[in-house]
Amino acid sequence: MTVFNEHPGKVFRVHDMHEHLGLPTDEPSINVTRSRLGRLARQGFLEQPGRGRGRYQKRT
């Protein structure tokens, strides 16, 4: 959530977020993050703008 709070209007792809944070970009790591972001979206903290499966943005 820190990344989204620092860049409230920006839309992030999971892979881009991993690069921004210096996290590993291997598929298992990406899948864990994708799962967590999906849960945050279902809880209402994030949204997936447009047709953006795999893109997340802080809900305003």
Side-chain angles (χ1 to χ4, degrees):
M1 285 302 299
T2 302
V3 172
F4 293 104
N5 289 332
E6 291 173 355
H7 308 281
K10 185 169 178 165
V11 177
F12 284 96
R13 289 181 353 172
V14 179
H15 191 272
D16 296 338
M17 184 182 307
H18 267 245
E19 288 180 347
H20 179 76
L21 294 171
L23 298 172
T25 56
D26 59 287
E27 196 61 30
S29 296
I30 296 286
N31 286 338
V32 169
T33 301
R34 186 176 289 120
S35 175
R36 289 177 179 161
L37 292 175
R39 186 171 46 246
L40 289 170
R42 287 189 300 278
Q43 292 174 344
F45 294 105
L46 301 177
E47 61 186 6
Q48 292 182 286
R51 298 174 48 190
R53 298 294 294 167
R55 295 173 183 256
Y56 296 89
Q57 179 179 21
K58 184 177 180 182
R59 187 175 296 268
T60 55

